[in-house]
Amino acid sequence: MRFLCPSPVLLMLLSGAAAASAPAGAAHTGPPEFLVQLTLLLGVSALAAYSSFRLRLIPIIGFLVAGVIAGPGALGLIRDPALITAASDVGVMLLLFTIGIEFSLERLSRIARLIFLGGGLQVGLTVLAVAGALLAFGVGAQNAVFTGCLIALSSTAIVMRVLGERGETNARTGQVSLGILIFQDLAVVLMVLLIPMLAGQGGGVGGVLLALAKAAGIIAFVLVAARRIVPPVMEVVARTCSAEIFLLTVVALCFGTASLTALAGVSLALGAFLAGLLVSESRYGAQAMGEILPLQILFSAAFFLSVGLQLDLGFLIRNLGLVLGAAALIALLKIAVSFVSVRLLGERTRTALPVAFQLAQVGEFSFVLATTGTALGLSFAGMGQQGSGVFIAATVLLMAFTPALGALAGRLTAHLPAPAPASGSGNGEQGTPGHEGESHGLPVAGRVIFAGYGPHARLAARALSRAGKPYSVITRSPDGASELQGRGAPVLIADYTRAGLLRELDIGSASALVIADDDTEMTERAVSVARTVAPQLTIITQATTSEGFQGLQALGAQHVLSAKKEIVAGILDLVTPPEVTRADIMRHLAEHPPVTLSATQRAECEHAEQNAGPITPESDVCLECVALGDTWVHLRVCMTCGHVGCCDSSKNRHATRHAHAQRHPIIRSAEPGETWAYCYEHGWTK
């Protein structure tokens, strides 16, 4: 039985949090306390998500409200702050990691102006506006600047989650919002150093410059690693074809990069975003997204719950007017400043308005700054101890109302005049460049989609090409992907058993889905998920036993091909145009027939007898040479598995390396007109 991939990672993450929260030497007379708290956390999260679904609200609101109700200020169900904090930190990192995967260094360079100019204007003007207003009311300069720093930050986690729920991450509003949020995360480095200086402590200007130099060095290293180190590592890991190894490597990369940036004083969230950029520079971004998404959803729920836990309902009720007034003033000021900042970038009102409303809340990192400043004697708006409670309550309320503010901005924007059609690549409403109707760069609509790219899929795909029928391929095989990319065929490296991926691809718009995986369990999962996502989609697959045939039909596959010699022809019968006759199909298949050993060759040794074929060559190229960008002299086919590799006269000798590594003793020439074979064990050639 195959274990679900997230299990080992999830256990390690939670056991770490448990170790931090469990008292040393405690006697276990019942379930561990951390397990009780973890069960409550998961139960409350599931109930909140279901309630949000029934009320047609986005889950964020449900998680925030559930955190308030379950927290110490209300029912007091969840009392372990260490566990909640650890889980919420992981949630923020995984959320920003997935956002980073969706980007690339090229796309990030295109929004550099939004980051540094837009973000600089928003943060700088907010601090100046808040500090100036408080100074006018007699608040001390130190507390005024401190409050400005707290209010200037917005919640990256909440804004990006809301944009994702609305499908606006890649829209112009999403790009501008992300640019400003990235600068805010960078600004946290300065603020962490500035706050002790405001309180009369810290290392002065020299300490600030040193910290900035460290941060710049770490970020520069990450950017270099994105091009030089990570892609080769991901290639090696992907070639293991182990989902467990791949997931563990991706999570280690995320946490490792975030920890490295944290050592330089940069936020964990920004480090996780940079880690996502590292993965996006390889070919495996979509696969990494599919593997990490279940963990991201789980731990993000913990983050939003943790925000709700910080609200003291008793304090809110006693100071309701003060809290609501503070929240309204913060929102109005941030909307005004953010709107002006985005307009100064040259963006249209249709972009500036929703961005301003999305950034109206206060960020999660402001909690960290507030804790640090309060310990050093600073206070929110110069209000002393009461200021801390007002700040927390107002911040939680603003976070909870972020989706509502976004919806309000949408209604206001709808009343604005429609923009003129864009004539170039200016600052219009367009998102990032791409192909209409394509996700992950893979065309799907009206095409045959191959899930898996084994020998049968290869032959069927080539026949489709000759018949003029377009197709695309989703595969987990780096070698198969390299072969397709070398031929210019559309291919995506990803796990096609992930429902989220199939929805993003709009798999239901395909003309047919051909699931050609040799792994029976993977085939069953793929059929089940595809049928759930696209009930009307034509699904074609294969089975080797009568039980498998019946099982796949029960899961929803309309066409299950069973006889080996009929699989390729059957696929082509079902997906080729009517004008392509069966004779045309068989003529193409005759050009790529299975190979066998002759009676004379079989008589040479027991290895030849056991590996006589027929065997279908997996390709008509050396896939490993294609992946390396190398050439070959001659090709050889493994008579055990169909692997095709280059000969010993070639630079890489992949056929021999495969034979030794897999202990497959017999190869045969794959060159046209040649039938000789060779046994590595006995050294004969015939």
Side-chain angles (χ1 to χ4, degrees):
M1 184 72 173
R2 181 187 292 270
F3 291 99
L4 292 176
C5 300
S7 299
V9 178
L10 181 60
L11 290 174
M12 285 189 291
L13 294 175
L14 296 179
S15 64
S21 60
H28 294 289
T29 57
E33 179 61 23
F34 88 88
L35 184 59
V36 175
Q37 293 293 294
L38 179 61
T39 302
L40 288 171
L41 173 65
L42 296 174
V44 169
S45 299
L47 182 60
Y50 178 75
S51 300
S52 300
F53 173 77
R54 298 298 297 177
L55 296 173
R56 297 185 178 181
L57 301 172
I58 67 172
I60 291 175
I61 296 178
F63 293 141
L64 289 170
V65 173
V68 173
I69 295 174
L75 299 180
L77 297 177
I78 302 177
R79 302 180 301 275
D80 191 340
L83 179 65
I84 300 302
T85 300
S88 64
D89 286 344
V90 172
V92 172
M93 286 192 291
L94 293 178
L95 175 62
L96 270 294
F97 180 66
T98 56
I99 293 170
I101 290 176
E102 294 179 330
F103 271 73
S104 66
L105 292 179
E106 180 186 356
R107 290 178 63 187
L108 195 62
S109 67
R110 291 202 296 265
I111 65 169
R113 181 172 172 272
L114 300 177
I115 295 173
F116 296 105
L117 182 56
L121 284 170
Q122 188 273 334
V123 172
L125 291 177
T126 302
V127 173
L128 287 175
V130 172
L134 292 177
L135 287 171
F137 283 92
V139 177
Q142 291 87 350
N143 286 328
V145 175
F146 170 65
T147 305
C149 291
L150 298 182
I151 293 178
L153 302 178
S154 303
S155 174
T156 304
I158 289 180
V159 172
M160 297 312 298
R161 182 65 179 269
V162 170
L163 289 171
E165 294 275 353
R166 296 173 179 271
E168 297 176 359
T169 303
N170 293 324
R172 189 61 185 173
T173 52
Q175 302 288 288
V176 176
S177 298
L178 180 63
I180 293 174
L181 291 167
I182 289 174
F183 184 88
Q184 290 181 2
D185 285 342
L186 291 170
V188 170
V189 180
L190 278 177
M191 293 177 182
V192 167
L193 299 167
L194 179 62
I195 287 174
M197 294 173 62
L198 291 174
Q201 302 178 26
V205 178
V208 172
L209 293 177
L210 177 61
L212 288 177
K214 288 168 57 181
I218 292 294
I219 293 174
F221 170 77
V222 168
L223 296 181
V224 171
R227 295 295 174 93
R228 303 290 184 183
I229 300 175
V230 174
V233 170
M234 296 297 292
E235 288 284 344
V236 171
V237 171
R239 288 181 187 282
T240 66
C241 293
S242 168
E244 289 80 6
I245 296 175
F246 187 87
L247 177 62
L248 289 168
T249 301
V250 168
V251 173
L253 183 63
C254 172
F255 287 11
T257 306
S259 301
L260 188 62
T261 57
L263 291 175
V266 182
S267 71
L268 287 172
L270 182 60
F273 176 79
L274 292 174
L277 285 180
L278 296 181
V279 176
S280 75
E281 291 300 302
S282 72
R283 301 189 296 168
Y284 305 100
Q287 185 175 353
M289 176 71 82
E291 296 291 348
I292 210 74
L293 199 57
L295 290 175
Q296 183 254 306
I297 293 171
L298 174 62
F299 285 100
S300 291
F303 163 71
F304 296 115
L305 277 171
S306 72
V307 172
L309 290 173
Q310 299 188 55
L311 180 61
D312 185 340
L313 279 179
F315 179 90
L316 176 62
I317 294 171
R318 292 191 302 271
N319 301 274
L320 184 61
L322 184 60
V323 171
L324 292 178
L329 287 174
I330 292 172
L332 290 173
L333 185 144
K334 293 199 71 175
I335 289 172
V337 171
S338 298
F339 180 82
V340 170
S341 300
V342 177
R343 288 289 288 154
L344 288 175
L345 283 173
E347 300 289 339
R348 296 170 177 166
T349 300
R350 296 180 66 88
T351 299
L353 194 63
V355 170
F357 275 78
Q358 292 284 6
L359 300 178
Q361 82 293 125
V362 178
E364 56 273 8
F365 296 114
S366 294
F367 287 127
V368 178
L369 296 178
T371 302
T372 303
T374 302
L376 295 173
L378 300 173
S379 65
F380 176 77
M383 297 172 64
Q385 187 64 35
Q386 186 185 34
S388 177
V390 171
F391 170 74
I392 291 175
T395 297
V396 173
L397 288 179
L398 287 173
M399 286 182 168
F401 279 98
T402 296
L405 289 172
L408 175 59
R411 295 192 189 97
L412 295 175
T413 304
H415 290 88
L416 295 174
S423 58
S425 57
N427 297 327
E429 307 303 316
Q430 301 302 319
T432 55
H435 300 284
E436 184 178 357
E438 294 181 17
S439 177
H440 299 287
L442 188 77
V444 171
R447 288 174 171 255
V448 176
I449 307 300
F450 287 95
Y453 196 59
H456 297 124
R458 280 186 171 86
L459 293 178
R462 292 188 189 119
L464 287 180
S465 294
R466 298 198 177 194
K469 181 78 173 178
Y471 68 90
S472 297
V473 177
I474 312 170
T475 178
R476 297 178 298 158
S477 167
D479 291 337
S482 297
E483 177 195 347
L484 288 159
Q485 289 168 344
R487 299 209 315 262
V491 59
L492 176 68
I493 301 177
D495 184 351
Y496 38 81
T497 65
R498 299 287 184 183
L501 174 73
L502 298 184
R503 289 192 185 96
E504 289 177 9
L505 293 173
D506 189 17
I507 198 68
S509 66
S511 63
L513 175 66
V514 179
I515 301 172
D517 200 303
D518 294 330
D519 185 322
T520 302
E521 185 176 344
M522 285 291 292
T523 299
E524 292 174 350
R525 288 172 57 192
V527 170
S528 177
V529 171
R531 178 55 65 226
T532 301
V533 171
Q536 305 304 317
L537 177 64
T538 298
I539 298 177
I540 305 168
T541 187
Q542 61 190 44
T544 56
T545 64
S546 58
E547 293 81 3
F549 182 92
Q550 295 170 359
L552 290 170
Q553 281 195 326
L555 289 171
Q558 295 100 323
H559 306 285
V560 183
L561 307 171
S562 55
K564 282 188 176 182
K565 64 181 180 180
E566 287 294 314
I567 287 177
V568 178
I571 292 173
L572 296 177
D573 271 344
L574 293 167
V575 300
T576 49
E579 60 269 19
V580 179
T581 66
R582 184 63 177 264
D584 295 328
I585 294 172
M586 299 312 295
R587 189 181 308 113
H588 173 78
L589 295 180
E591 297 174 5
H592 303 275
V595 295
T596 60
L597 297 183
S598 67
T600 303
Q601 291 167 335
R602 290 198 299 268
E604 287 293 322
C605 68
E606 69 276 12
H607 300 308
E609 182 65 32
Q610 295 167 2
N611 299 277
I615 197 79
T616 301
E618 67 174 2
S619 68
D620 51 11
V621 297
C622 177
L623 299 178
E624 290 141 309
C625 284
V626 170
L628 295 170
D630 287 336
T631 59
W632 56 89
V633 179
H634 301 292
L635 296 175
R636 309 291 181 242
V637 58
C638 173
M639 291 303 296
T640 303
C641 66
H643 171 270
V644 174
C646 54
C647 66
D648 286 357
S649 298
S650 304
K651 170 185 174 183
N652 298 305
R653 305 177 64 191
H654 283 127
T656 296
R657 290 166 63 180
H658 169 83
H660 291 326
Q662 302 298 326
R663 296 186 178 180
H664 293 171
I666 305 292
I667 61 169
R668 183 186 184 276
S669 175
E671 296 297 319
E674 295 184 358
T675 60
W676 61 264
Y678 174 74
C679 177
Y680 285 96
E681 293 287 336
H682 297 98
W684 58 262
T685 303
K686 277 199 180 293

